[in-house]
Amino acid sequence: MLVGLALLVGGAEALVRGASGLALSARVTPAVVGLTVVAAGTSMPELVVSVQAAIADRPGLSLGNVVGSNIFNIGVVLGLTALVRPLRIQGSTVRLEWPVMFASAVVLHAFCLNGRVGRVEGAILLGAMVCFTVYVVWVGRHAASAAEQHALAEVATASWGRTGWQALALNLLAVAVGIALLAAGARTMVHGAVGVAQALGVSSTVIGLTIVAAGTSTPELITSLVAARRGQDDIAVGNVIGSNIFNALGIVGVAATLRPMVVPPELIGRDDWWLIGASLLLLPLMWSGMRVNRWEGALLLAGFAAYLVVLL
């Protein structure tokens, strides 16, 4: 677990630096990169774990990992990041990204209600993920506000001191190395954590909702903390919201398309509702002053602690 944590720290640093550079090279805002490249990159551990679990016919672990990771992202990742440093919120986050994140949680719950997520539902989720990504990139290139353009011009260490194709190559290499380190670190940490949990006799669904969810969400936590430390609030917030969208639409979509999954009843009756509730709570916290302050971060952490009490 300690080796995995070290890999995660290094991977997060490389990913944030490379993603910031890609934002400049592609002339899109850091928020767009946070919602796409960074969000997908930090969600790779969830994708690997959930797909492997689905193929191995362990739907409780696969779906529990997604739902638990999304709850962890809102409660711990965003809460702890805001507690360390208050986060500025762009208008597009409230107008566009949050509604998609909330809708993805509601749609996922609706697809789970019949006790099974099949290939048709998986294909619908994947199609929605593709449409959202295309739209976000288009908006980022053509409809960025003056404030977002100003933020774009101030991205730190974006080009590694280089210009042109050399800067692009270095940024792409940094993103690739970061994603690889994050995936390796999360797999290493989860392997150790799952071993401990199994030794304690915990069910696979609970493992997915807690140990595996926290382990695979550690990249999001480290990446958002690093981004916030660098003053890149767009990436810190976009990483959380984008990861939740990618998890609910992309990961469940891929896993269900490869192998239809039976949904554990406790996910339908308990955990899905906690995810919907956490997503709904996030809107007024972001809307109040267009910031997530320290006391609001503490509130999110307290909410996650309450969820663990109910779960365990």
Side-chain angles (χ1 to χ4, degrees):
M1 290 177 66
L2 291 176
V3 171
L5 181 60
L7 292 173
L8 290 170
V9 171
E13 180 73 12
L15 183 59
V16 170
R17 283 176 176 262
S20 299
L22 288 177
L24 281 179
S25 300
R27 304 307 303 168
V28 296
T29 62
V32 173
V33 178
L35 282 164
T36 54
V37 177
V38 178
T42 56
S43 291
M44 284 300 107
E46 284 96 329
L47 178 62
V48 173
V49 170
S50 290
V51 169
Q52 286 180 341
I55 293 175
D57 198 20
R58 300 179 67 182
L61 179 59
S62 180
L63 290 170
N65 177 37
V66 169
V67 174
S69 292
N70 283 11
I71 297 173
F72 186 92
N73 285 345
I74 295 173
V76 178
V77 176
L78 198 58
L80 186 59
T81 304
L83 194 62
V84 171
R85 181 181 181 276
L87 299 169
R88 298 184 306 273
I89 303 297
Q90 296 288 347
S92 61
T93 302
V94 176
R95 294 192 308 270
L96 171 64
E97 291 110 31
W98 177 87
V100 175
M101 183 191 75
F102 180 73
S104 67
V106 173
V107 170
L108 178 60
H109 177 63
F111 283 173
C112 290
L113 284 177
N114 65 354
R116 186 175 182 271
V117 181
R119 288 190 171 92
V120 173
E121 290 92 341
I124 293 173
L125 294 174
L126 275 177
M129 182 68 223
V130 171
C131 292
F132 171 74
T133 302
V134 171
Y135 180 72
V136 164
V137 172
W138 183 87
V139 169
R141 289 181 62 89
H142 297 90
S145 66
E148 289 170 327
Q149 291 290 356
H150 180 67
L152 175 62
E154 293 184 342
V155 176
T157 65
S159 297
W160 303 83
R162 305 295 178 90
T163 58
W165 69 268
Q166 291 181 331
L168 178 61
L170 287 173
N171 287 322
L172 287 172
L173 178 62
V175 169
V177 170
I179 290 174
L181 289 177
L182 287 169
R187 285 174 63 90
T188 304
M189 176 177 283
V190 169
H191 180 75
V194 169
V196 173
Q198 288 179 338
L200 297 176
V202 182
S203 71
S204 62
T205 301
V206 173
I207 290 175
L209 287 165
T210 55
I211 302 296
V212 175
T216 56
S217 290
T218 305
E220 283 91 336
L221 175 60
I222 301 298
T223 299
S224 287
L225 287 173
V226 170
R229 179 174 62 84
R230 291 179 171 275
Q232 297 166 347
D233 294 355
D234 286 347
I235 288 183
V237 176
N239 171 45
V240 170
I241 294 180
S243 292
N244 277 22
I245 295 171
F246 185 86
N247 289 349
L249 300 181
I251 293 179
V252 177
V254 171
T257 301
L258 292 175
R259 185 184 182 106
M261 295 181 290
V262 176
V263 183
E266 58 267 31
L267 282 177
I268 301 172
R270 180 192 60 206
D271 306 296
D272 281 356
W273 288 108
W274 274 89
L275 174 56
I276 292 172
S279 302
L280 187 61
L281 173 64
L282 192 55
L283 179 61
L285 297 185
M286 293 191 303
W287 212 340
S288 58
M290 299 307 289
R291 295 173 67 89
V292 179
N293 296 314
R294 285 189 172 91
W295 74 266
E296 293 169 325
L299 179 63
L300 290 173
L301 284 170
F304 183 78
Y307 168 67
L308 287 183
V309 170
V310 172
L311 181 64
L312 300 177

